[in-house]
Amino acid sequence: MHQPDYRDYVNGDFVLPWTYLHAIKDYTDMAYHLEQNPQAKATFNFVPVLLDQLEEYAGQFHTGQVTDPLLALLATENLDAVSSAQRQLVLDSCFRSNHATMVTPFPSYHRIHSIFKMLEQESEEAIAYLSGQYLADLLVWYHLSWMGESVRRSSELVVRLMAKGCGFTWEERRGVFDLIGNLIVDLIPRYRNLAQKGQIELSTTPHFHPILPLLLDFNSAHEAVPGMPLPETGRYPGGLTRARHHVESAVESHVQRFGHAPAGVWPAEGGVSQASLMLLAKQGFSWAATGEGVLANSLLHAYGENALSANKHHLYKPYRISDGNDAITVFFRDDRLSDKIGFEYSKWYGRDAVNDFVHELEQILLRHPKGDTPVISIILDGENAWEYYPYNAYYFLSELYETLAVHPFIEMATFGEVTRHCAAISVNEELLEVESFHGANIVSEGLPGLVAGSWVYGNFSTWIGDPAKNRAWDLLCEAKRNYDMVMSDGRLNSAEKQAAERQLADCEGSDWFWWFGDYNPSHSVASFDRLYRRNLSNLYRLLKLPVPAALGHVISAGGGEVEAGGTMRRGQE
């Protein structure tokens, strides 16, 4: 579960609405499916910067001072009196979704979109004829379409408004606004409750979602792709200190919100290196997870071509990685099965998809060496996949959990349970019944070394190596050098230093670099390009330094067409 930080730290606004929209749709529905299936188990990874934003939204609903401009417009009484910029924000924002599942199925919403497309072909003057009532209906339908399926089935208000279809009043818009607030306020407590019951495990990520190996050493990208071009700056200034800060802050966040330190970590984008894993181990993490490609590269490097078994037996076990002093258990994602859920099953009838998935698991067991219990790590995006399914994957997820819960020899488990199971076996300790897995024989294997990479293609090409990505890194490195200078010369007081550090941490997140590159769609690249340069500019302002002219120039324009709009990638090309 992750969204980058969409807050502007200078004016306090949320610049993009994706955090609260995914909260009312995907985070809400995912909790619902576990609540409805008490025998199901899963691990949920919440990135701290997402939790920061969810709590800020919750606080704003409590005070009534909402700084997300789109959300504020939903509750604005007189939409005939809004500014031209506010009108444009509604029109630019409220058709941004997967139309096949979130616009077309709703005749009233589809009609609103058809009216806009017809007027758009005329002129800007024609669009100006759109009334406040049109904006009201558009705002309501946009938020209704983003409601989780569990909410649509349980909220009398949502059912009534979807049946009404148009002519929504201010009181009805206010009702949707209040419902959104209630869903967000309840969200973290719902997951906390599931964790306290032992049904789910909550893991974390370095606080602002940086790629730790790249903060530590740009050259780690060469381990998987030796000839990759790198930024002109040789390495990120003070990268080790910054990496430690993100990790320590994530642990503090988890303790504050969930009452204990996390056992596990999903490093941002599954980005790992030997050095970053040892940093995590020293911080007390017992397990981490990453992509299948990282394991393949590491085994090939250690043992040669014969290291990879045809039936992927090597993939279906946890591995121990150690430097002689510290150690951590690492799980590796089954790319094919995880990507079937992320990309393929949305096109299937739900029951057929579940049957196929279960069959795939059964075949893994049949082909696996006798006496060993395979551990299959299914890891995927917790928010972006579901909008491509009918009904936000309601039927697929419900039937999947129900089927797995009663299967005679497939058992759902969390990574922490498997890690504790392996640790107990290694010292012949008695296992708790819940972690005995009915006599399973799971033994982790030592891995002599790790080739640095991520869950995407087993390398870091999604975040570094492209000219635009490298340019973004160089701009960040230059800002970091200025940050170090200002922080050491005494010109900022304690509060000002804290604000600058938070802004720097935001700029170090992986998402900006993900979007740079010509292969991504231009509208998404433009949004993240503007926001990244805005964040760097704000950092200079917080440091009381002039903003470099370079930040006035676009880094990347995009222009490509990629699967799932670029929000998700498959594990393998």
Side-chain angles (χ1 to χ4, degrees):
M1 310 298 207
H2 168 59
Q3 290 295 311
D5 198 343
Y6 295 120
R7 296 169 294 183
D8 184 316
Y9 288 157
V10 172
N11 64 24
D13 286 352
F14 280 90
V15 180
L16 292 170
W18 305 122
T19 295
Y20 85 80
L21 290 175
H22 282 294
I24 65 176
K25 185 168 80 71
D26 306 301
Y27 309 145
T28 294
D29 269 5
M30 292 297 278
Y32 166 86
H33 286 294
L34 270 294
E35 291 164 346
Q36 293 300 304
N37 293 277
Q39 301 306 310
K41 285 195 172 184
T43 301
F44 287 89
N45 189 88
F46 276 97
V47 180
V49 71
L50 168 63
L51 297 173
D52 294 343
Q53 293 176 87
L54 290 174
E55 288 186 345
E56 183 155 339
Y57 271 112
Q60 291 184 7
F61 276 103
H62 179 71
T63 64
Q65 303 298 314
V66 174
T67 64
D68 186 301
L70 187 65
L71 192 55
L73 282 166
L74 175 64
T76 297
E77 184 168 2
N78 184 6
L79 291 173
D80 283 309
V82 299
S83 69
S84 58
Q86 289 173 310
R87 285 173 56 87
Q88 196 60 49
L89 175 65
V90 174
L91 297 174
D92 287 344
S93 301
C94 290
F95 297 118
R96 291 189 66 179
S97 62
N98 178 32
H99 282 214
T101 58
M102 297 177 67
V103 177
T104 305
F106 308 113
S108 296
Y109 193 10
H110 184 61
R111 183 169 60 250
I112 291 171
H113 181 247
S114 298
I115 292 170
F116 174 76
K117 297 303 288 185
M118 178 184 68
L119 293 177
E120 189 180 39
Q121 295 174 2
E122 298 293 327
S123 64
E124 290 186 11
E125 288 77 13
I127 292 177
Y129 279 102
L130 293 172
S131 67
Q133 185 62 61
Y134 177 91
L135 297 178
D137 288 358
L138 175 55
L139 279 162
V140 170
W141 266 111
Y142 187 60
H143 289 90
L144 291 178
S145 76
W146 273 91
M147 288 289 176
E149 188 65 20
S150 62
V151 181
R152 291 182 194 160
R153 291 165 183 259
S154 62
S155 169
E156 184 276 333
L157 172 68
V158 172
V159 171
R160 177 164 51 82
L161 295 184
M162 294 183 79
K164 182 179 181 180
C166 62
F168 300 119
T169 66
W170 175 73
E171 288 79 10
E172 289 169 330
R173 285 190 286 116
R174 185 73 200 192
V176 175
F177 178 86
D178 291 340
L179 173 60
I180 291 170
N182 291 335
L183 291 171
I184 293 175
V185 168
D186 289 344
L187 202 55
I188 294 176
R190 289 173 72 183
Y191 281 93
R192 186 190 300 118
N193 184 53
L194 285 166
Q196 289 171 347
K197 290 179 178 178
Q199 192 176 351
I200 69 172
E201 178 178 6
L202 294 170
S203 57
T204 192
T205 293
H207 200 123
F208 281 78
H209 208 261
I211 305 292
L212 285 187
L214 297 181
L215 285 189
L216 295 173
D217 186 1
F218 289 151
N219 286 299
S220 64
H222 282 159
E223 294 182 25
V225 185
M228 177 183 287
L230 296 178
E232 292 180 8
T233 310
R235 63 189 304 125
Y236 187 65
L240 176 58
T241 299
R242 295 300 305 151
R244 283 175 177 158
H245 175 80
H246 283 278
V247 174
E248 292 168 357
S249 181
V251 174
E252 292 172 5
S253 162
H254 204 90
V255 171
Q256 173 191 338
R257 284 154 173 147
F258 303 116
H260 59 85
V265 57
W266 168 253
E269 309 293 3
V272 293
S273 64
Q274 186 80 17
S276 70
L277 284 175
M278 291 305 98
L279 175 64
L280 294 169
K282 285 180 171 60
Q283 187 61 45
F285 289 101
S286 61
W287 68 263
T290 182
E292 179 179 335
V294 174
L295 177 61
N297 290 340
S298 301
L299 290 174
L300 287 170
H301 182 266
Y303 303 117
E305 293 182 3
N306 294 328
L308 306 183
S309 55
N311 289 324
K312 294 189 177 180
H313 303 323
H314 60 276
L315 179 60
Y316 302 127
K317 67 181 75 172
Y319 287 81
R320 292 282 288 171
I321 296 177
S322 174
D323 62 0
N325 295 312
D326 299 288
I328 191 167
T329 297
V330 182
F331 296 84
F332 295 92
R333 176 183 192 261
D334 186 314
D335 285 344
R336 192 174 66 86
L337 288 186
S338 299
D339 286 344
K340 271 197 162 187
I341 297 176
F343 294 93
E344 301 299 332
Y345 287 149
S346 60
K347 310 177 187 74
W348 293 40
Y349 179 66
R351 168 49 60 182
D352 291 342
V354 171
N355 288 341
D356 181 78
F357 185 76
V358 171
H359 176 72
E360 293 274 13
L361 295 178
E362 291 170 342
Q363 290 302 303
I364 289 172
L365 179 58
L366 288 174
R367 295 190 299 263
H368 204 72
K370 301 301 180 184
D372 290 342
T373 303
V375 175
I376 301 99
S377 298
I378 306 299
I379 303 172
L380 70 152
D381 189 310
E383 57 224 352
N384 289 304
W386 315 125
E387 68 188 70
Y388 296 93
Y389 283 75
Y391 305 102
N392 209 43
Y394 179 90
Y395 292 105
F396 171 75
L397 289 171
S398 295
E399 294 191 25
L400 178 65
Y401 284 132
E402 290 168 5
T403 302
L404 292 176
V406 298
H407 196 282
F409 50 84
I410 297 173
E411 187 156 356
M412 289 175 278
T414 68
F415 292 110
E417 287 175 337
V418 176
T419 301
R420 292 191 295 273
H421 176 95
C422 294
I425 286 179
S426 68
V427 295
N428 296 315
E429 287 184 357
E430 183 177 348
L431 289 166
L432 296 175
E433 180 64 28
V434 72
E435 294 167 15
S436 66
F437 305 129
H438 306 104
N441 181 31
I442 307 169
V443 180
S444 59
E445 181 177 317
L447 191 62
L450 191 89
V451 174
S454 76
W455 74 269
V456 185
Y457 316 148
N459 61 50
F460 294 124
S461 62
T462 301
W463 303 274
I464 199 168
D466 175 273
K469 298 177 193 294
N470 288 348
R471 176 61 179 150
W473 275 109
D474 284 323
L475 290 170
L476 176 58
C477 290
E478 180 60 25
K480 178 58 163 59
R481 284 190 287 266
N482 281 280
Y483 170 90
D484 290 340
M485 176 191 69
V486 170
M487 295 298 259
S488 65
D489 70 6
R491 77 179 70 180
L492 301 182
N493 61 36
S494 177
E496 291 169 335
K497 285 184 176 181
Q498 185 177 9
E501 191 283 325
R502 186 175 65 166
Q503 184 68 79
L504 172 67
D506 190 9
C507 295
E508 291 168 336
S510 72
D511 298 85
W512 323 117
F513 307 97
W514 169 290
W515 286 103
F516 296 137
D518 293 337
Y519 51 84
N520 276 317
S522 56
H523 65 87
S524 294
V525 174
S527 294
F528 282 88
D529 182 282
R530 281 195 302 270
L531 189 50
Y532 180 66
R533 290 184 291 114
R534 183 176 184 167
N535 287 338
L536 281 177
S537 298
N538 285 345
L539 176 58
Y540 279 96
R541 294 185 183 101
L542 291 168
L543 295 173
K544 301 181 180 180
L545 294 175
V547 176
L551 293 179
H553 302 293
V554 169
I555 298 169
S556 180
E561 292 294 333
V562 292
E563 196 170 21
T567 58
M568 300 187 296
R569 301 242 166 93
R570 295 176 186 261
Q572 300 178 24
E573 293 185 271

